[in-house]
Amino acid sequence: MAQVTIGNSEFDRDTAVVRRAPGHYEADLSAGWTIIHAVNGGYLLALMGRALGDALPHPDPFSVTAHYLTASVPGPAVIRTEVVRTGRTMSTGTATLVQFEEDGSEVERLRVLAAYGDLDTLTDDVRTTAKPPAIPPYEHCLGTENAPGGQPAVPGSTAIADRLTIRLDPATCGWAVGAPSGNGEMRGWFGLADGRDPDPLSLLLTVDALPPTAFEIGLTGWVPTVELTTHIRRRPAPGPLRVAITTRNLAGGFLEEDAEVWDSADRLVAQSRQLARAPRSASTLA
Amino acid sequence: MAQVTIGNSEFDRDTAVVRRAPGHYEADLSAGWTIIHAVNGGYLLALMGRALGDALPHPDPFSVTAHYLTASVPGPAVIRTEVVRTGRTMSTGTATLVQFEEDGSEVERLRVLAAYGDLDTLTDDVRTTAKPPAIPPYEHCLGTENAPGGQPAVPGSTAIADRLTIRLDPATCGWAVGAPSGNGEMRGWFGLADGRDPDPLSLLLTVDALPPTAFEIGLTGWVPTVELTTHIRRRPAPGPLRVAITTRNLAGGFLEEDAEVWDSADRLVAQSRQLARAPRSASTLA
């Protein structure tokens, strides 16, 4: 079996795009990156990121904003990109992802606006004052196999769970045993199940891959993302990532989720914030 | 003299747009909102926000992302908007601001992607766990008239300072007397100089109106914004605002600035994050 590497992995195959013409790409949204029937937002972001990396003269996402308009479904999709501006060290572009109704009409799923650059040209100065999250060692964190009962509640509901290796901080797992802490926090270790190392595109997936902080606040139901903006600040070192997500402003039917991704070299490699609709049900799990 | 109100004030006059055709607006970038010759990014964001509020079926910005492409100059500008999607409770649109060279060719200044809704339809639940910033009372904070020497270093450099009433927390003013704290923080009280109360559009200005955190870290020079994403979470109550800005990830030649805006009712009414280029000069002020 071929060695899994960046470029040769489940993630790369499922986020591949084929350029048919300048600014026109075909993709196939994989059913492997869904939660129940919903295609994961980070997976979609990574797909768009791959197309934009091809369309723009700079290779790496620096700041990517996505607005999620309608629910994507597994199957064919088209991504169209536009070059907004190219500069010496950065370029800006937009992208739209559409799918097709039975009558052939288009429905737009996402709209993206992004700035790209070259992460290999960043200077070496590091004055980061943020600290890596205090997450217990990997062996002491909990994965889906530790879930009560062993099997997911809805068979086949966790296709994306088979693609990822996530181990959650027990302090943010109360929701899974009917005892949410009430704190808007979610933390854990993150890796791709086939062992592929992280890279700037997989970081776009990573920021939207953990369970919602809303679960730990004590809310159930979907937490649909309206908008997600991700900053990629450094090419991640090989090895597992630590993700820490915080919600501090659940109000008015909306909430924000701030995610930080730290690599094995203790560098803050990605930061994101999303605006999401709070679950309609405010029922508690307890 | 007519009473200054929301809709009848310096800010409203200087952010006015005239619709010439669907999706086509004319504006005049005022010289009154500049720092030295640079047109303030928040002022530009508010202009775009006004055009989008007219173009979209929902009145209020919920999430607005702007990419700053080239430096705007005072004078005529054209804003073009596109409706991306309209829904029952939210709509999405894009906007571009262009100015014209002497030969008549267009240069794009900003590109915006935004989601709009109706802040008056938000539910009343407030589970915000974030706390207002600890800023000393207004009378104990420092404004430009307290600057050493009294006059700005460059005559006419602070046109925007005449439009705003900013009083900074002394703990974040060390830079102004050659003794920066080294902390990536900037905090203060914010109001419009003519007394106009805040509203969702003026919040777009507010998130980019304080001095850069870089000054307090000990860096001098411009801190150009690459991208700025702002969430407007509630219609602000009348009266002064408190703004707290934090930088935790100065690295690789870039930094992020996270801003929170709190209103007189102690509500977290706006949150923003920008990605900016760190000043090229790393010289300290001390």
Side-chain angles (χ1 to χ4, degrees), chain B residues 163-219:
Chain B
R163 311 272 92 74
L164 307 179
T165 303
I166 292 178
R167 295 285 183 275
L168 296 175
D169 183 338
T172 65
C173 276
W175 57 273
V177 292
S181 65
N183 299 324
E185 299 177 350
M186 191 64 60
R187 291 184 295 273
W189 295 87
F190 177 95
L192 294 168
D194 65 3
R196 176 201 193 272
D197 280 319
D199 78 335
L201 282 184
S202 75
L203 288 178
L204 296 177
L205 163 72
T206 305
V207 297
D208 193 48
L210 261 59
T213 54
F215 287 4
E216 197 57 7
I217 290 173
L219 306 175

Short mmCIF file of all heavy atoms in Angstrom, two decimals, chain B residues 163-219:
data_model
loop_
_atom_site.label_atom_id
_atom_site.label_comp_id
_atom_site.label_asym_id
_atom_site.label_seq_id
_atom_site.Cartn_x
_atom_site.Cartn_y
_atom_site.Cartn_z
N ARG B 163 -12.98 64.05 14.57
CA ARG B 163 -14.31 63.47 14.36
C ARG B 163 -14.70 62.54 15.52
O ARG B 163 -15.87 62.19 15.66
CB ARG B 163 -14.34 62.59 13.09
CG ARG B 163 -13.77 63.18 11.83
CD ARG B 163 -14.82 63.96 11.05
NE ARG B 163 -14.80 65.33 11.44
CZ ARG B 163 -13.86 66.20 11.07
NH1 ARG B 163 -12.84 65.83 10.32
NH2 ARG B 163 -13.94 67.45 11.47
N LEU B 164 -13.71 62.14 16.29
CA LEU B 164 -13.92 61.11 17.32
C LEU B 164 -13.59 61.66 18.71
O LEU B 164 -12.78 62.59 18.83
CB LEU B 164 -13.02 59.90 17.06
CG LEU B 164 -13.09 59.29 15.67
CD1 LEU B 164 -12.11 58.12 15.57
CD2 LEU B 164 -14.49 58.82 15.34
N THR B 165 -14.23 61.10 19.70
CA THR B 165 -13.87 61.39 21.08
C THR B 165 -13.38 60.08 21.67
O THR B 165 -14.18 59.19 21.97
CB THR B 165 -15.09 61.91 21.86
OG1 THR B 165 -15.61 63.06 21.21
CG2 THR B 165 -14.68 62.26 23.28
N ILE B 166 -12.07 59.96 21.73
CA ILE B 166 -11.46 58.74 22.25
C ILE B 166 -10.69 59.10 23.52
O ILE B 166 -9.92 60.06 23.52
CB ILE B 166 -10.52 58.10 21.21
CG1 ILE B 166 -11.35 57.58 20.03
CG2 ILE B 166 -9.71 56.96 21.83
CD1 ILE B 166 -10.51 56.98 18.91
N ARG B 167 -10.91 58.32 24.55
CA ARG B 167 -10.15 58.47 25.79
C ARG B 167 -9.55 57.11 26.09
O ARG B 167 -10.28 56.14 26.31
CB ARG B 167 -11.05 58.90 26.94
CG ARG B 167 -11.67 60.28 26.76
CD ARG B 167 -10.66 61.39 27.00
NE ARG B 167 -11.27 62.71 26.89
CZ ARG B 167 -11.44 63.37 25.74
NH1 ARG B 167 -11.03 62.82 24.60
NH2 ARG B 167 -11.99 64.56 25.75
N LEU B 168 -8.23 57.06 26.10
CA LEU B 168 -7.56 55.78 26.25
C LEU B 168 -7.25 55.45 27.70
O LEU B 168 -6.92 56.33 28.51
CB LEU B 168 -6.24 55.77 25.45
CG LEU B 168 -6.38 55.89 23.94
CD1 LEU B 168 -5.00 55.99 23.29
CD2 LEU B 168 -7.16 54.72 23.36
N ASP B 169 -7.36 54.18 28.01
CA ASP B 169 -6.93 53.66 29.31
C ASP B 169 -5.45 54.02 29.49
O ASP B 169 -4.62 53.67 28.63
CB ASP B 169 -7.13 52.15 29.31
CG ASP B 169 -6.79 51.49 30.64
OD1 ASP B 169 -6.02 52.08 31.44
OD2 ASP B 169 -7.26 50.36 30.85
N PRO B 170 -5.06 54.73 30.56
CA PRO B 170 -3.64 55.06 30.74
C PRO B 170 -2.73 53.84 30.70
O PRO B 170 -1.58 53.95 30.27
CB PRO B 170 -3.62 55.72 32.13
CG PRO B 170 -4.99 56.26 32.32
CD PRO B 170 -5.91 55.30 31.62
N ALA B 171 -3.25 52.68 31.08
CA ALA B 171 -2.43 51.46 31.07
C ALA B 171 -2.06 51.05 29.65
O ALA B 171 -1.17 50.22 29.47
CB ALA B 171 -3.17 50.32 31.76
N THR B 172 -2.73 51.63 28.64
CA THR B 172 -2.40 51.30 27.25
C THR B 172 -1.88 52.53 26.52
O THR B 172 -1.93 52.59 25.29
CB THR B 172 -3.60 50.69 26.50
OG1 THR B 172 -4.65 51.67 26.37
CG2 THR B 172 -4.12 49.45 27.21
N CYS B 173 -1.38 53.51 27.26
CA CYS B 173 -0.88 54.74 26.67
C CYS B 173 0.61 54.92 26.83
O CYS B 173 1.13 55.99 26.51
CB CYS B 173 -1.55 55.95 27.32
SG CYS B 173 -3.14 56.34 26.60
N GLY B 174 1.29 53.92 27.33
CA GLY B 174 2.73 54.07 27.55
C GLY B 174 3.45 54.50 26.29
O GLY B 174 4.40 55.29 26.33
N TRP B 175 2.98 54.02 25.14
CA TRP B 175 3.64 54.33 23.88
C TRP B 175 3.68 55.83 23.62
O TRP B 175 4.62 56.33 23.00
CB TRP B 175 2.92 53.64 22.72
CG TRP B 175 1.46 53.99 22.61
CD1 TRP B 175 0.41 53.39 23.25
CD2 TRP B 175 0.90 55.06 21.85
NE1 TRP B 175 -0.77 54.01 22.93
CE2 TRP B 175 -0.51 55.05 22.07
CE3 TRP B 175 1.42 56.04 21.00
CZ2 TRP B 175 -1.38 55.95 21.47
CZ3 TRP B 175 0.55 56.95 20.40
CH2 TRP B 175 -0.84 56.91 20.65
N ALA B 176 2.67 56.56 24.10
CA ALA B 176 2.58 57.99 23.81
C ALA B 176 3.63 58.80 24.58
O ALA B 176 3.88 59.96 24.25
CB ALA B 176 1.18 58.51 24.14
N VAL B 177 4.22 58.19 25.58
CA VAL B 177 5.27 58.88 26.35
C VAL B 177 6.57 58.09 26.32
O VAL B 177 7.38 58.19 27.24
CB VAL B 177 4.81 59.15 27.81
CG1 VAL B 177 3.67 60.17 27.83
CG2 VAL B 177 4.39 57.87 28.51
N GLY B 178 6.73 57.30 25.27
CA GLY B 178 7.99 56.60 25.08
C GLY B 178 8.21 55.43 26.02
O GLY B 178 9.35 54.97 26.18
N ALA B 179 7.15 54.92 26.62
CA ALA B 179 7.30 53.82 27.57
C ALA B 179 6.24 52.75 27.33
O ALA B 179 5.39 52.50 28.19
CB ALA B 179 7.21 54.34 29.00
N PRO B 180 6.26 52.13 26.14
CA PRO B 180 5.24 51.11 25.86
C PRO B 180 5.34 49.94 26.84
O PRO B 180 6.43 49.56 27.24
CB PRO B 180 5.57 50.65 24.44
CG PRO B 180 7.01 50.99 24.24
CD PRO B 180 7.27 52.21 25.07
N SER B 181 4.17 49.41 27.22
CA SER B 181 4.14 48.35 28.23
C SER B 181 4.71 47.03 27.70
O SER B 181 5.12 46.18 28.47
CB SER B 181 2.70 48.10 28.68
OG SER B 181 1.94 47.58 27.58
N GLY B 182 4.70 46.86 26.38
CA GLY B 182 5.10 45.57 25.82
C GLY B 182 3.93 44.62 25.65
O GLY B 182 4.08 43.55 25.06
N ASN B 183 2.76 45.02 26.15
CA ASN B 183 1.57 44.17 26.02
C ASN B 183 0.79 44.56 24.77
O ASN B 183 0.58 45.74 24.49
CB ASN B 183 0.65 44.34 27.23
CG ASN B 183 1.33 43.95 28.52
OD1 ASN B 183 2.11 43.02 28.55
ND2 ASN B 183 1.03 44.69 29.59
N GLY B 184 0.27 43.55 24.07
CA GLY B 184 -0.51 43.83 22.87
C GLY B 184 -1.94 44.18 23.22
O GLY B 184 -2.86 43.39 23.00
N GLU B 185 -2.15 45.33 23.80
CA GLU B 185 -3.47 45.75 24.27
C GLU B 185 -3.70 47.22 23.97
O GLU B 185 -2.76 48.03 24.04
CB GLU B 185 -3.60 45.54 25.78
CG GLU B 185 -3.44 44.09 26.22
CD GLU B 185 -3.50 43.93 27.73
OE1 GLU B 185 -3.47 44.94 28.45
OE2 GLU B 185 -3.57 42.77 28.17
N MET B 186 -4.93 47.57 23.67
CA MET B 186 -5.35 48.95 23.52
C MET B 186 -6.79 49.03 23.98
O MET B 186 -7.63 48.24 23.52
CB MET B 186 -5.21 49.39 22.05
CG MET B 186 -5.37 50.87 21.80
SD MET B 186 -4.07 51.91 22.60
CE MET B 186 -2.57 51.25 21.81
N ARG B 187 -7.10 49.96 24.89
CA ARG B 187 -8.46 50.06 25.43
C ARG B 187 -8.85 51.50 25.58
O ARG B 187 -8.00 52.37 25.86
CB ARG B 187 -8.53 49.41 26.83
CG ARG B 187 -8.37 47.91 26.84
CD ARG B 187 -8.56 47.37 28.26
NE ARG B 187 -7.52 47.84 29.17
CZ ARG B 187 -6.35 47.24 29.33
NH1 ARG B 187 -6.04 46.17 28.61
NH2 ARG B 187 -5.47 47.72 30.18
N GLY B 188 -10.11 51.76 25.45
CA GLY B 188 -10.54 53.13 25.69
C GLY B 188 -12.03 53.32 25.51
O GLY B 188 -12.76 52.39 25.15
N TRP B 189 -12.45 54.53 25.79
CA TRP B 189 -13.82 54.97 25.55
C TRP B 189 -13.89 55.55 24.14
O TRP B 189 -12.94 56.17 23.65
CB TRP B 189 -14.23 56.05 26.56
CG TRP B 189 -14.28 55.55 27.97
CD1 TRP B 189 -13.26 55.49 28.86
CD2 TRP B 189 -15.43 55.03 28.64
NE1 TRP B 189 -13.69 54.97 30.05
CE2 TRP B 189 -15.03 54.69 29.95
CE3 TRP B 189 -16.77 54.86 28.28
CZ2 TRP B 189 -15.91 54.16 30.90
CZ3 TRP B 189 -17.65 54.34 29.22
CH2 TRP B 189 -17.21 54.00 30.51
N PHE B 190 -15.03 55.36 23.49
CA PHE B 190 -15.20 55.82 22.12
C PHE B 190 -16.54 56.50 21.93
O PHE B 190 -17.58 55.98 22.35
CB PHE B 190 -15.10 54.63 21.15
CG PHE B 190 -15.33 55.00 19.70
CD1 PHE B 190 -14.28 55.28 18.86
CD2 PHE B 190 -16.63 55.10 19.20
CE1 PHE B 190 -14.49 55.65 17.55
CE2 PHE B 190 -16.86 55.47 17.87
CZ PHE B 190 -15.77 55.74 17.04
N GLY B 191 -16.49 57.65 21.28
CA GLY B 191 -17.72 58.32 20.86
C GLY B 191 -17.44 59.14 19.63
O GLY B 191 -16.29 59.36 19.25
N LEU B 192 -18.51 59.58 18.97
CA LEU B 192 -18.36 60.49 17.84
C LEU B 192 -18.34 61.91 18.39
O LEU B 192 -19.12 62.27 19.28
CB LEU B 192 -19.50 60.28 16.85
CG LEU B 192 -19.46 58.91 16.16
CD1 LEU B 192 -20.76 58.61 15.42
CD2 LEU B 192 -18.27 58.81 15.21
N ALA B 193 -17.45 62.73 17.85
CA ALA B 193 -17.20 64.07 18.43
C ALA B 193 -18.44 64.95 18.46
O ALA B 193 -18.61 65.77 19.37
CB ALA B 193 -16.07 64.76 17.68
N ASP B 194 -19.34 64.79 17.48
CA ASP B 194 -20.52 65.66 17.46
C ASP B 194 -21.66 65.11 18.31
O ASP B 194 -22.75 65.65 18.31
CB ASP B 194 -20.99 65.93 16.02
CG ASP B 194 -21.48 64.66 15.29
OD1 ASP B 194 -21.51 63.58 15.91
OD2 ASP B 194 -21.82 64.77 14.10
N GLY B 195 -21.38 64.01 19.02
CA GLY B 195 -22.36 63.51 19.97
C GLY B 195 -23.36 62.52 19.42
O GLY B 195 -24.24 62.05 20.14
N ARG B 196 -23.23 62.17 18.13
CA ARG B 196 -24.15 61.19 17.55
C ARG B 196 -24.06 59.88 18.31
O ARG B 196 -22.95 59.41 18.60
CB ARG B 196 -23.81 60.96 16.08
CG ARG B 196 -24.66 59.87 15.37
CD ARG B 196 -23.89 59.40 14.16
NE ARG B 196 -24.64 58.61 13.20
CZ ARG B 196 -24.77 57.29 13.25
NH1 ARG B 196 -24.26 56.61 14.27
NH2 ARG B 196 -25.42 56.64 12.28
N ASP B 197 -25.19 59.28 18.61
CA ASP B 197 -25.20 57.98 19.28
C ASP B 197 -24.70 56.90 18.33
O ASP B 197 -24.78 57.04 17.10
CB ASP B 197 -26.62 57.64 19.76
CG ASP B 197 -26.99 58.35 21.05
OD1 ASP B 197 -26.12 58.43 21.95
OD2 ASP B 197 -28.13 58.82 21.17
N PRO B 198 -24.22 55.80 18.90
CA PRO B 198 -23.77 54.70 18.04
C PRO B 198 -24.95 53.98 17.39
O PRO B 198 -26.08 54.02 17.90
CB PRO B 198 -23.04 53.76 19.00
CG PRO B 198 -23.66 54.03 20.33
CD PRO B 198 -24.03 55.49 20.33
N ASP B 199 -24.66 53.33 16.26
CA ASP B 199 -25.64 52.45 15.62
C ASP B 199 -24.85 51.36 14.91
O ASP B 199 -23.62 51.37 14.94
CB ASP B 199 -26.57 53.25 14.66
CG ASP B 199 -25.93 53.59 13.34
OD1 ASP B 199 -24.68 53.68 13.26
OD2 ASP B 199 -26.67 53.81 12.36
N PRO B 200 -25.52 50.37 14.30
CA PRO B 200 -24.74 49.29 13.68
C PRO B 200 -23.70 49.76 12.67
O PRO B 200 -22.60 49.22 12.63
CB PRO B 200 -25.82 48.42 13.02
CG PRO B 200 -27.01 48.61 13.92
CD PRO B 200 -26.96 50.05 14.34
N LEU B 201 -23.99 50.80 11.89
CA LEU B 201 -23.00 51.26 10.91
C LEU B 201 -21.81 51.94 11.59
O LEU B 201 -20.67 51.76 11.18
CB LEU B 201 -23.65 52.21 9.90
CG LEU B 201 -24.47 51.57 8.80
CD1 LEU B 201 -24.95 52.62 7.82
CD2 LEU B 201 -23.67 50.50 8.05
N SER B 202 -22.07 52.72 12.63
CA SER B 202 -20.94 53.38 13.28
C SER B 202 -20.08 52.37 14.04
O SER B 202 -18.90 52.62 14.28
CB SER B 202 -21.40 54.53 14.19
OG SER B 202 -21.96 54.03 15.40
N LEU B 203 -20.66 51.21 14.39
CA LEU B 203 -19.86 50.16 15.01
C LEU B 203 -18.79 49.66 14.03
O LEU B 203 -17.71 49.24 14.44
CB LEU B 203 -20.73 49.00 15.48
CG LEU B 203 -21.61 49.26 16.70
CD1 LEU B 203 -22.46 48.03 17.01
CD2 LEU B 203 -20.78 49.67 17.91
N LEU B 204 -19.10 49.69 12.73
CA LEU B 204 -18.11 49.26 11.73
C LEU B 204 -16.90 50.19 11.74
O LEU B 204 -15.78 49.77 11.47
CB LEU B 204 -18.74 49.20 10.33
CG LEU B 204 -19.87 48.19 10.14
CD1 LEU B 204 -20.45 48.29 8.73
CD2 LEU B 204 -19.38 46.77 10.40
N LEU B 205 -17.14 51.45 12.03
CA LEU B 205 -16.05 52.41 12.18
C LEU B 205 -15.30 52.16 13.49
O LEU B 205 -14.06 52.18 13.54
CB LEU B 205 -16.62 53.84 12.19
CG LEU B 205 -15.71 54.95 12.73
CD1 LEU B 205 -14.59 55.25 11.75
CD2 LEU B 205 -16.51 56.21 13.01
N THR B 206 -16.05 51.88 14.53
CA THR B 206 -15.49 51.82 15.88
C THR B 206 -14.42 50.75 16.04
O THR B 206 -13.44 50.94 16.75
CB THR B 206 -16.64 51.59 16.89
OG1 THR B 206 -17.63 52.61 16.70
CG2 THR B 206 -16.14 51.60 18.32
N VAL B 207 -14.61 49.61 15.37
CA VAL B 207 -13.69 48.49 15.56
C VAL B 207 -12.31 48.77 14.98
O VAL B 207 -11.37 48.02 15.27
CB VAL B 207 -14.23 47.17 14.97
CG1 VAL B 207 -15.51 46.75 15.69
CG2 VAL B 207 -14.44 47.25 13.47
N ASP B 208 -12.15 49.84 14.20
CA ASP B 208 -10.85 50.12 13.59
C ASP B 208 -10.41 51.54 13.91
O ASP B 208 -9.64 52.15 13.18
CB ASP B 208 -10.93 49.92 12.07
CG ASP B 208 -9.56 49.89 11.40
OD1 ASP B 208 -8.67 49.17 11.90
OD2 ASP B 208 -9.36 50.61 10.39
N ALA B 209 -10.87 52.09 15.04
CA ALA B 209 -10.64 53.52 15.30
C ALA B 209 -9.59 53.82 16.36
O ALA B 209 -9.19 54.97 16.50
CB ALA B 209 -11.97 54.18 15.70
N LEU B 210 -9.17 52.81 17.12
CA LEU B 210 -8.18 53.06 18.17
C LEU B 210 -6.77 52.94 17.61
O LEU B 210 -6.56 52.36 16.54
CB LEU B 210 -8.38 52.08 19.33
CG LEU B 210 -9.16 52.61 20.54
CD1 LEU B 210 -10.56 53.05 20.15
CD2 LEU B 210 -9.20 51.54 21.64
N PRO B 211 -5.77 53.47 18.32
CA PRO B 211 -4.39 53.27 17.87
C PRO B 211 -4.05 51.79 17.84
O PRO B 211 -4.68 50.98 18.53
CB PRO B 211 -3.56 54.01 18.93
CG PRO B 211 -4.49 55.01 19.54
CD PRO B 211 -5.85 54.36 19.51
N PRO B 212 -3.05 51.43 17.04
CA PRO B 212 -2.69 50.01 16.92
C PRO B 212 -2.11 49.45 18.22
O PRO B 212 -1.35 50.14 18.90
CB PRO B 212 -1.63 49.98 15.81
CG PRO B 212 -1.66 51.32 15.18
CD PRO B 212 -2.21 52.27 16.17
N THR B 213 -2.45 48.21 18.53
CA THR B 213 -1.82 47.53 19.67
C THR B 213 -0.31 47.47 19.48
O THR B 213 0.43 47.42 20.46
CB THR B 213 -2.34 46.09 19.79
OG1 THR B 213 -2.15 45.42 18.52
CG2 THR B 213 -3.82 46.04 20.16
N ALA B 214 0.14 47.48 18.23
CA ALA B 214 1.58 47.41 17.95
C ALA B 214 2.34 48.52 18.66
O ALA B 214 3.48 48.32 19.08
CB ALA B 214 1.83 47.46 16.45
N PHE B 215 1.71 49.69 18.79
CA PHE B 215 2.37 50.80 19.48
C PHE B 215 2.70 50.41 20.92
O PHE B 215 3.77 50.71 21.43
CB PHE B 215 1.48 52.04 19.48
CG PHE B 215 1.36 52.75 18.16
CD1 PHE B 215 1.97 52.24 17.02
CD2 PHE B 215 0.63 53.93 18.05
CE1 PHE B 215 1.84 52.89 15.79
CE2 PHE B 215 0.52 54.59 16.83
CZ PHE B 215 1.12 54.07 15.71
N GLU B 216 1.78 49.75 21.57
CA GLU B 216 1.98 49.39 22.97
C GLU B 216 2.94 48.20 23.11
O GLU B 216 3.56 48.02 24.15
CB GLU B 216 0.63 49.11 23.63
CG GLU B 216 0.62 49.13 25.15
CD GLU B 216 1.10 50.42 25.81
OE1 GLU B 216 1.36 51.44 25.14
OE2 GLU B 216 1.26 50.40 27.05
N ILE B 217 3.05 47.40 22.03
CA ILE B 217 4.05 46.33 22.02
C ILE B 217 5.44 46.93 21.92
O ILE B 217 6.42 46.35 22.37
CB ILE B 217 3.78 45.34 20.87
CG1 ILE B 217 2.51 44.53 21.16
CG2 ILE B 217 4.96 44.41 20.64
CD1 ILE B 217 2.04 43.65 20.01
N GLY B 218 5.52 48.14 21.34
CA GLY B 218 6.80 48.82 21.21
C GLY B 218 7.27 48.98 19.78
O GLY B 218 8.43 49.30 19.53
N LEU B 219 6.35 48.76 18.83
CA LEU B 219 6.70 48.90 17.42
C LEU B 219 6.18 50.24 16.90
O LEU B 219 5.15 50.74 17.36
CB LEU B 219 6.07 47.76 16.61
CG LEU B 219 6.38 46.35 17.10
CD1 LEU B 219 5.62 45.33 16.29
CD2 LEU B 219 7.87 46.09 17.04
#
